[in-house]
PDB file of all heavy atoms in Angstrom:
ATOM      1  N   TYR R  37      -8.970 -44.944  20.618  1.00  0.00           N
ATOM      2  CA  TYR R  37     -10.077 -44.169  20.097  1.00  0.00           C
ATOM      3  C   TYR R  37      -9.530 -43.076  19.173  1.00  0.00           C
ATOM      4  O   TYR R  37     -10.317 -42.404  18.566  1.00  0.00           O
ATOM      5  CB  TYR R  37     -10.951 -43.480  21.127  1.00  0.00           C
ATOM      6  CG  TYR R  37     -11.559 -44.496  22.095  1.00  0.00           C
ATOM      7  CD1 TYR R  37     -11.076 -44.702  23.354  1.00  0.00           C
ATOM      8  CD2 TYR R  37     -12.726 -45.156  21.647  1.00  0.00           C
ATOM      9  CE1 TYR R  37     -11.724 -45.573  24.210  1.00  0.00           C
ATOM     10  CE2 TYR R  37     -13.328 -46.007  22.580  1.00  0.00           C
ATOM     11  CZ  TYR R  37     -12.870 -46.233  23.929  1.00  0.00           C
ATOM     12  OH  TYR R  37     -13.498 -47.100  24.739  1.00  0.00           O
ATOM     13  N   GLY R  38      -8.272 -42.905  19.152  1.00  0.00           N
ATOM     14  CA  GLY R  38      -7.635 -41.759  18.429  1.00  0.00           C
ATOM     15  C   GLY R  38      -7.158 -40.775  19.454  1.00  0.00           C
ATOM     16  O   GLY R  38      -7.354 -40.961  20.565  1.00  0.00           O
ATOM     17  N   ASP R  39      -6.669 -39.595  18.972  1.00  0.00           N
ATOM     18  CA  ASP R  39      -6.094 -38.611  19.899  1.00  0.00           C
ATOM     19  C   ASP R  39      -7.153 -37.502  20.122  1.00  0.00           C
ATOM     20  O   ASP R  39      -7.895 -37.095  19.142  1.00  0.00           O
ATOM     21  CB  ASP R  39      -4.975 -37.891  19.214  1.00  0.00           C
ATOM     22  CG  ASP R  39      -3.803 -38.960  19.024  1.00  0.00           C
ATOM     23  OD1 ASP R  39      -3.653 -39.722  19.922  1.00  0.00           O
ATOM     24  OD2 ASP R  39      -3.037 -38.854  18.004  1.00  0.00           O
ATOM     25  N   PRO R  40      -7.312 -37.224  21.321  1.00  0.00           N
ATOM     26  CA  PRO R  40      -8.259 -35.991  21.681  1.00  0.00           C
ATOM     27  C   PRO R  40      -7.526 -34.737  21.185  1.00  0.00           C
ATOM     28  O   PRO R  40      -6.413 -34.712  20.858  1.00  0.00           O
ATOM     29  CB  PRO R  40      -8.303 -36.095  23.251  1.00  0.00           C
ATOM     30  CG  PRO R  40      -7.055 -36.760  23.579  1.00  0.00           C
ATOM     31  CD  PRO R  40      -6.749 -37.770  22.617  1.00  0.00           C
ATOM     32  N   MET R  41      -8.299 -33.693  21.139  1.00  0.00           N
ATOM     33  CA  MET R  41      -7.745 -32.374  20.772  1.00  0.00           C
ATOM     34  C   MET R  41      -6.764 -31.991  21.885  1.00  0.00           C
ATOM     35  O   MET R  41      -6.901 -32.318  23.078  1.00  0.00           O
ATOM     36  CB  MET R  41      -8.771 -31.282  20.820  1.00  0.00           C
ATOM     37  CG  MET R  41      -9.911 -31.730  19.769  1.00  0.00           C
ATOM     38  SD  MET R  41      -9.304 -31.489  18.114  1.00  0.00           S
ATOM     39  CE  MET R  41     -10.861 -31.794  17.209  1.00  0.00           C
ATOM     40  N   GLU R  42      -5.722 -31.121  21.467  1.00  0.00           N
ATOM     41  CA  GLU R  42      -4.776 -30.592  22.461  1.00  0.00           C
ATOM     42  C   GLU R  42      -4.536 -29.108  22.118  1.00  0.00           C
ATOM     43  O   GLU R  42      -4.569 -28.613  20.972  1.00  0.00           O
ATOM     44  CB  GLU R  42      -3.482 -31.391  22.433  1.00  0.00           C
ATOM     45  CG  GLU R  42      -3.539 -32.670  23.055  1.00  0.00           C
ATOM     46  CD  GLU R  42      -2.232 -33.432  23.098  1.00  0.00           C
ATOM     47  OE1 GLU R  42      -1.125 -32.824  22.739  1.00  0.00           O
ATOM     48  OE2 GLU R  42      -2.144 -34.554  23.574  1.00  0.00           O
ATOM     49  N   TYR R  43      -4.231 -28.412  23.161  1.00  0.00           N
ATOM     50  CA  TYR R  43      -3.830 -26.919  22.952  1.00  0.00           C
ATOM     51  C   TYR R  43      -2.690 -26.604  23.820  1.00  0.00           C
ATOM     52  O   TYR R  43      -2.609 -27.025  25.054  1.00  0.00           O
ATOM     53  CB  TYR R  43      -5.044 -25.978  23.241  1.00  0.00           C
ATOM     54  CG  TYR R  43      -4.670 -24.508  23.204  1.00  0.00           C
ATOM     55  CD1 TYR R  43      -4.589 -23.999  21.925  1.00  0.00           C
ATOM     56  CD2 TYR R  43      -4.401 -23.708  24.304  1.00  0.00           C
ATOM     57  CE1 TYR R  43      -4.228 -22.562  21.786  1.00  0.00           C
ATOM     58  CE2 TYR R  43      -4.076 -22.448  24.135  1.00  0.00           C
ATOM     59  CZ  TYR R  43      -4.005 -21.917  22.910  1.00  0.00           C
ATOM     60  OH  TYR R  43      -3.566 -20.524  22.802  1.00  0.00           O
ATOM     61  N   GLY R  44      -1.655 -25.902  23.253  1.00  0.00           N
ATOM     62  CA  GLY R  44      -0.531 -25.540  23.994  1.00  0.00           C
ATOM     63  C   GLY R  44      -0.580 -23.987  24.192  1.00  0.00           C
ATOM     64  O   GLY R  44      -0.422 -23.193  23.277  1.00  0.00           O
ATOM     65  N   PRO R  45      -0.744 -23.546  25.474  1.00  0.00           N
ATOM     66  CA  PRO R  45      -0.816 -22.090  25.701  1.00  0.00           C
ATOM     67  C   PRO R  45       0.530 -21.421  25.449  1.00  0.00           C
ATOM     68  O   PRO R  45       1.541 -22.031  25.710  1.00  0.00           O
ATOM     69  CB  PRO R  45      -1.199 -22.017  27.237  1.00  0.00           C
ATOM     70  CG  PRO R  45      -0.741 -23.375  27.727  1.00  0.00           C
ATOM     71  CD  PRO R  45      -0.844 -24.399  26.669  1.00  0.00           C
ATOM     72  N   SER R  46       0.442 -20.149  25.020  1.00  0.00           N
ATOM     73  CA  SER R  46       1.692 -19.386  24.771  1.00  0.00           C
ATOM     74  C   SER R  46       2.288 -18.880  26.026  1.00  0.00           C
ATOM     75  O   SER R  46       3.522 -18.758  26.181  1.00  0.00           O
ATOM     76  CB  SER R  46       1.275 -18.152  23.942  1.00  0.00           C
ATOM     77  OG  SER R  46       0.328 -17.399  24.479  1.00  0.00           O
ATOM     78  N   VAL R  47       1.558 -18.846  27.063  1.00  0.00           N
ATOM     79  CA  VAL R  47       2.077 -18.430  28.435  1.00  0.00           C
ATOM     80  C   VAL R  47       1.531 -19.403  29.458  1.00  0.00           C
ATOM     81  O   VAL R  47       0.437 -19.641  29.596  1.00  0.00           O
ATOM     82  CB  VAL R  47       1.602 -17.012  28.913  1.00  0.00           C
ATOM     83  CG1 VAL R  47       2.193 -16.643  30.220  1.00  0.00           C
ATOM     84  CG2 VAL R  47       1.969 -15.994  27.831  1.00  0.00           C
ATOM     85  N   MET R  48       2.417 -20.003  30.146  1.00  0.00           N
ATOM     86  CA  MET R  48       1.979 -21.059  31.201  1.00  0.00           C
ATOM     87  C   MET R  48       1.373 -20.350  32.404  1.00  0.00           C
ATOM     88  O   MET R  48       1.775 -19.227  32.779  1.00  0.00           O
ATOM     89  CB  MET R  48       3.114 -21.840  31.576  1.00  0.00           C
ATOM     90  CG  MET R  48       3.922 -22.536  30.548  1.00  0.00           C
ATOM     91  SD  MET R  48       2.858 -23.596  29.565  1.00  0.00           S
ATOM     92  CE  MET R  48       2.791 -25.071  30.574  1.00  0.00           C
ATOM     93  N   TRP R  49       0.504 -20.955  33.041  1.00  0.00           N
ATOM     94  CA  TRP R  49      -0.342 -20.333  34.066  1.00  0.00           C
ATOM     95  C   TRP R  49       0.410 -20.093  35.351  1.00  0.00           C
ATOM     96  O   TRP R  49      -0.037 -19.373  36.194  1.00  0.00           O
ATOM     97  CB  TRP R  49      -1.630 -21.195  34.372  1.00  0.00           C
ATOM     98  CG  TRP R  49      -2.551 -21.126  33.182  1.00  0.00           C
ATOM     99  CD1 TRP R  49      -2.312 -20.598  31.955  1.00  0.00           C
ATOM    100  CD2 TRP R  49      -3.976 -21.590  33.210  1.00  0.00           C
ATOM    101  NE1 TRP R  49      -3.442 -20.775  31.168  1.00  0.00           N
ATOM    102  CE2 TRP R  49      -4.495 -21.296  31.899  1.00  0.00           C
ATOM    103  CE3 TRP R  49      -4.757 -22.134  34.129  1.00  0.00           C
ATOM    104  CZ2 TRP R  49      -5.785 -21.691  31.559  1.00  0.00           C
ATOM    105  CZ3 TRP R  49      -5.990 -22.493  33.871  1.00  0.00           C
ATOM    106  CH2 TRP R  49      -6.576 -22.188  32.531  1.00  0.00           C
ATOM    107  N   ASP R  50       1.577 -20.644  35.521  1.00  0.00           N
ATOM    108  CA  ASP R  50       2.415 -20.447  36.635  1.00  0.00           C
ATOM    109  C   ASP R  50       3.542 -19.410  36.441  1.00  0.00           C
ATOM    110  O   ASP R  50       4.421 -19.230  37.234  1.00  0.00           O
ATOM    111  CB  ASP R  50       2.878 -21.694  37.300  1.00  0.00           C
ATOM    112  CG  ASP R  50       3.658 -22.598  36.286  1.00  0.00           C
ATOM    113  OD1 ASP R  50       3.681 -22.142  35.128  1.00  0.00           O
ATOM    114  OD2 ASP R  50       4.200 -23.632  36.640  1.00  0.00           O
ATOM    115  N   ASP R  51       3.519 -18.897  35.247  1.00  0.00           N
ATOM    116  CA  ASP R  51       4.454 -17.822  34.914  1.00  0.00           C
ATOM    117  C   ASP R  51       4.158 -16.615  35.732  1.00  0.00           C
ATOM    118  O   ASP R  51       3.092 -16.216  35.959  1.00  0.00           O
ATOM    119  CB  ASP R  51       4.309 -17.479  33.415  1.00  0.00           C
ATOM    120  CG  ASP R  51       5.519 -16.600  32.885  1.00  0.00           C
ATOM    121  OD1 ASP R  51       5.483 -15.444  33.338  1.00  0.00           O
ATOM    122  OD2 ASP R  51       6.291 -17.092  32.098  1.00  0.00           O
ATOM    123  N   ALA R  52       5.239 -15.969  36.203  1.00  0.00           N
ATOM    124  CA  ALA R  52       5.143 -14.795  37.060  1.00  0.00           C
ATOM    125  C   ALA R  52       4.461 -13.625  36.347  1.00  0.00           C
ATOM    126  O   ALA R  52       3.747 -12.726  37.003  1.00  0.00           O
ATOM    127  CB  ALA R  52       6.424 -14.290  37.563  1.00  0.00           C
ATOM    128  N   ASP R  53       4.468 -13.638  35.038  1.00  0.00           N
ATOM    129  CA  ASP R  53       3.961 -12.444  34.257  1.00  0.00           C
ATOM    130  C   ASP R  53       2.572 -12.858  33.558  1.00  0.00           C
ATOM    131  O   ASP R  53       2.060 -12.098  32.840  1.00  0.00           O
ATOM    132  CB  ASP R  53       4.890 -12.021  33.170  1.00  0.00           C
ATOM    133  CG  ASP R  53       6.182 -11.506  33.749  1.00  0.00           C
ATOM    134  OD1 ASP R  53       6.109 -10.824  34.826  1.00  0.00           O
ATOM    135  OD2 ASP R  53       7.251 -11.698  33.076  1.00  0.00           O
ATOM    136  N   ILE R  54       1.945 -13.962  34.072  1.00  0.00           N
ATOM    137  CA  ILE R  54       0.705 -14.394  33.436  1.00  0.00           C
ATOM    138  C   ILE R  54      -0.418 -13.359  33.764  1.00  0.00           C
ATOM    139  O   ILE R  54      -0.442 -12.815  34.925  1.00  0.00           O
ATOM    140  CB  ILE R  54       0.212 -15.788  33.907  1.00  0.00           C
ATOM    141  CG1 ILE R  54      -1.032 -16.288  33.286  1.00  0.00           C
ATOM    142  CG2 ILE R  54       0.085 -15.743  35.456  1.00  0.00           C
ATOM    143  CD1 ILE R  54      -0.765 -16.774  31.928  1.00  0.00           C
ATOM    144  N   LYS R  55      -1.278 -13.015  32.801  1.00  0.00           N
ATOM    145  CA  LYS R  55      -2.341 -12.202  32.988  1.00  0.00           C
ATOM    146  C   LYS R  55      -3.683 -12.866  32.881  1.00  0.00           C
ATOM    147  O   LYS R  55      -3.699 -14.071  32.204  1.00  0.00           O
ATOM    148  CB  LYS R  55      -2.301 -11.081  31.859  1.00  0.00           C
ATOM    149  CG  LYS R  55      -1.065 -10.263  31.845  1.00  0.00           C
ATOM    150  CD  LYS R  55      -0.886  -9.341  33.095  1.00  0.00           C
ATOM    151  CE  LYS R  55       0.160  -8.345  32.815  1.00  0.00           C
ATOM    152  NZ  LYS R  55       1.562  -8.954  32.736  1.00  0.00           N
ATOM    153  N   ILE R  56      -4.640 -12.433  33.528  1.00  0.00           N
ATOM    154  CA  ILE R  56      -6.047 -13.035  33.384  1.00  0.00           C
ATOM    155  C   ILE R  56      -6.438 -13.186  31.874  1.00  0.00           C
ATOM    156  O   ILE R  56      -7.030 -14.088  31.505  1.00  0.00           O
ATOM    157  CB  ILE R  56      -7.094 -12.234  34.207  1.00  0.00           C
ATOM    158  CG1 ILE R  56      -6.880 -12.449  35.646  1.00  0.00           C
ATOM    159  CG2 ILE R  56      -8.472 -12.688  33.784  1.00  0.00           C
ATOM    160  CD1 ILE R  56      -7.074 -13.885  36.131  1.00  0.00           C
ATOM    161  N   GLY R  57      -6.075 -12.160  31.004  1.00  0.00           N
ATOM    162  CA  GLY R  57      -6.337 -12.302  29.647  1.00  0.00           C
ATOM    163  C   GLY R  57      -5.682 -13.490  28.963  1.00  0.00           C
ATOM    164  O   GLY R  57      -6.259 -14.092  28.068  1.00  0.00           O
ATOM    165  N   ASP R  58      -4.490 -13.855  29.473  1.00  0.00           N
ATOM    166  CA  ASP R  58      -3.803 -15.007  28.938  1.00  0.00           C
ATOM    167  C   ASP R  58      -4.614 -16.324  29.236  1.00  0.00           C
ATOM    168  O   ASP R  58      -4.707 -17.194  28.372  1.00  0.00           O
ATOM    169  CB  ASP R  58      -2.301 -15.132  29.386  1.00  0.00           C
ATOM    170  CG  ASP R  58      -1.555 -13.835  29.036  1.00  0.00           C
ATOM    171  OD1 ASP R  58      -1.597 -13.493  27.866  1.00  0.00           O
ATOM    172  OD2 ASP R  58      -0.805 -13.499  29.852  1.00  0.00           O
ATOM    173  N   ILE R  59      -4.958 -16.349  30.471  1.00  0.00           N
ATOM    174  CA  ILE R  59      -5.789 -17.494  30.918  1.00  0.00           C
ATOM    175  C   ILE R  59      -7.203 -17.640  30.126  1.00  0.00           C
ATOM    176  O   ILE R  59      -7.501 -18.719  29.672  1.00  0.00           O
ATOM    177  CB  ILE R  59      -6.042 -17.454  32.412  1.00  0.00           C
ATOM    178  CG1 ILE R  59      -4.760 -17.536  33.231  1.00  0.00           C
ATOM    179  CG2 ILE R  59      -7.052 -18.544  32.868  1.00  0.00           C
ATOM    180  CD1 ILE R  59      -4.931 -17.205  34.706  1.00  0.00           C
ATOM    181  N   LEU R  60      -7.775 -16.514  29.989  1.00  0.00           N
ATOM    182  CA  LEU R  60      -9.003 -16.467  29.154  1.00  0.00           C
ATOM    183  C   LEU R  60      -8.793 -16.917  27.759  1.00  0.00           C
ATOM    184  O   LEU R  60      -9.555 -17.661  27.164  1.00  0.00           O
ATOM    185  CB  LEU R  60      -9.573 -15.108  29.261  1.00  0.00           C
ATOM    186  CG  LEU R  60     -11.003 -14.933  28.440  1.00  0.00           C
ATOM    187  CD1 LEU R  60     -12.032 -15.817  28.968  1.00  0.00           C
ATOM    188  CD2 LEU R  60     -11.410 -13.458  28.561  1.00  0.00           C
ATOM    189  N   LYS R  61      -7.649 -16.485  27.135  1.00  0.00           N
ATOM    190  CA  LYS R  61      -7.292 -16.874  25.788  1.00  0.00           C
ATOM    191  C   LYS R  61      -7.155 -18.374  25.674  1.00  0.00           C
ATOM    192  O   LYS R  61      -7.541 -19.020  24.675  1.00  0.00           O
ATOM    193  CB  LYS R  61      -6.065 -16.181  25.354  1.00  0.00           C
ATOM    194  CG  LYS R  61      -5.538 -16.550  23.985  1.00  0.00           C
ATOM    195  CD  LYS R  61      -4.238 -15.941  23.561  1.00  0.00           C
ATOM    196  CE  LYS R  61      -3.724 -16.353  22.222  1.00  0.00           C
ATOM    197  NZ  LYS R  61      -2.392 -15.779  21.906  1.00  0.00           N
ATOM    198  N   THR R  62      -6.515 -19.034  26.637  1.00  0.00           N
ATOM    199  CA  THR R  62      -6.331 -20.471  26.646  1.00  0.00           C
ATOM    200  C   THR R  62      -7.787 -21.191  26.652  1.00  0.00           C
ATOM    201  O   THR R  62      -7.996 -22.082  25.818  1.00  0.00           O
ATOM    202  CB  THR R  62      -5.553 -20.941  27.895  1.00  0.00           C
ATOM    203  OG1 THR R  62      -4.244 -20.330  27.743  1.00  0.00           O
ATOM    204  CG2 THR R  62      -5.498 -22.425  27.844  1.00  0.00           C
ATOM    205  N   LEU R  63      -8.616 -20.670  27.499  1.00  0.00           N
ATOM    206  CA  LEU R  63      -9.921 -21.291  27.612  1.00  0.00           C
ATOM    207  C   LEU R  63     -10.702 -21.150  26.349  1.00  0.00           C
ATOM    208  O   LEU R  63     -11.389 -22.160  25.838  1.00  0.00           O
ATOM    209  CB  LEU R  63     -10.721 -20.703  28.808  1.00  0.00           C
ATOM    210  CG  LEU R  63     -10.048 -20.974  30.151  1.00  0.00           C
ATOM    211  CD1 LEU R  63     -10.781 -20.200  31.190  1.00  0.00           C
ATOM    212  CD2 LEU R  63      -9.930 -22.399  30.570  1.00  0.00           C
ATOM    213  N   LEU R  64     -10.739 -19.975  25.730  1.00  0.00           N
ATOM    214  CA  LEU R  64     -11.392 -19.732  24.517  1.00  0.00           C
ATOM    215  C   LEU R  64     -10.827 -20.559  23.335  1.00  0.00           C
ATOM    216  O   LEU R  64     -11.562 -20.983  22.522  1.00  0.00           O
ATOM    217  CB  LEU R  64     -11.442 -18.261  24.141  1.00  0.00           C
ATOM    218  CG  LEU R  64     -12.215 -17.313  25.149  1.00  0.00           C
ATOM    219  CD1 LEU R  64     -12.092 -15.961  24.857  1.00  0.00           C
ATOM    220  CD2 LEU R  64     -13.666 -17.740  25.236  1.00  0.00           C
ATOM    221  N   SER R  65      -9.546 -20.673  23.390  1.00  0.00           N
ATOM    222  CA  SER R  65      -8.859 -21.397  22.318  1.00  0.00           C
ATOM    223  C   SER R  65      -9.198 -22.902  22.386  1.00  0.00           C
ATOM    224  O   SER R  65      -9.321 -23.591  21.373  1.00  0.00           O
ATOM    225  CB  SER R  65      -7.292 -21.178  22.321  1.00  0.00           C
ATOM    226  OG  SER R  65      -6.928 -19.825  22.113  1.00  0.00           O
ATOM    227  N   MET R  66      -9.272 -23.444  23.612  1.00  0.00           N
ATOM    228  CA  MET R  66      -9.677 -24.818  23.773  1.00  0.00           C
ATOM    229  C   MET R  66     -11.129 -25.023  23.291  1.00  0.00           C
ATOM    230  O   MET R  66     -11.463 -26.055  22.608  1.00  0.00           O
ATOM    231  CB  MET R  66      -9.540 -25.146  25.243  1.00  0.00           C
ATOM    232  CG  MET R  66      -8.137 -25.221  25.761  1.00  0.00           C
ATOM    233  SD  MET R  66      -8.012 -25.604  27.516  1.00  0.00           S
ATOM    234  CE  MET R  66      -8.374 -27.356  27.548  1.00  0.00           C
ATOM    235  N   SER R  67     -11.967 -24.100  23.584  1.00  0.00           N
ATOM    236  CA  SER R  67     -13.460 -24.294  23.173  1.00  0.00           C
ATOM    237  C   SER R  67     -13.511 -24.136  21.676  1.00  0.00           C
ATOM    238  O   SER R  67     -14.352 -24.831  21.079  1.00  0.00           O
ATOM    239  CB  SER R  67     -14.265 -23.188  23.811  1.00  0.00           C
ATOM    240  OG  SER R  67     -13.924 -21.900  23.344  1.00  0.00           O
ATOM    241  N   LYS R  68     -12.567 -23.437  20.985  1.00  0.00           N
ATOM    242  CA  LYS R  68     -12.633 -23.250  19.481  1.00  0.00           C
ATOM    243  C   LYS R  68     -12.299 -24.612  18.836  1.00  0.00           C
ATOM    244  O   LYS R  68     -12.806 -24.887  17.798  1.00  0.00           O
ATOM    245  CB  LYS R  68     -11.758 -22.170  19.065  1.00  0.00           C
ATOM    246  CG  LYS R  68     -12.277 -20.771  19.349  1.00  0.00           C
ATOM    247  CD  LYS R  68     -11.247 -19.749  18.771  1.00  0.00           C
ATOM    248  CE  LYS R  68     -11.832 -18.278  18.955  1.00  0.00           C
ATOM    249  NZ  LYS R  68     -10.850 -17.295  18.483  1.00  0.00           N
ATOM    250  N   LYS R  69     -11.404 -25.363  19.534  1.00  0.00           N
ATOM    251  CA  LYS R  69     -11.000 -26.658  18.995  1.00  0.00           C
ATOM    252  C   LYS R  69     -12.169 -27.664  18.999  1.00  0.00           C
ATOM    253  O   LYS R  69     -12.294 -28.609  18.284  1.00  0.00           O
ATOM    254  CB  LYS R  69      -9.779 -27.139  19.652  1.00  0.00           C
ATOM    255  CG  LYS R  69      -8.461 -26.549  19.286  1.00  0.00           C
ATOM    256  CD  LYS R  69      -7.280 -27.132  20.022  1.00  0.00           C
ATOM    257  CE  LYS R  69      -6.004 -26.637  19.435  1.00  0.00           C
ATOM    258  NZ  LYS R  69      -5.791 -27.249  18.023  1.00  0.00           N
TER     259      LYS R  69
END
Side-chain angles (χ1 to χ4, degrees):
Y37 300 102
D39 296 325
M41 303 289 186
E42 291 186 0
Y43 177 76
S46 56
V47 182
M48 304 303 280
W49 290 11
D50 52 356
D51 190 291
D53 298 324
I54 186 75
K55 303 291 192 299
I56 287 295
D58 298 320
I59 295 171
L60 180 58
K61 178 183 177 182
T62 296
L63 299 175
L64 293 176
S65 297
M66 293 177 73
S67 67
K68 285 182 180 179
K69 284 183 169 289

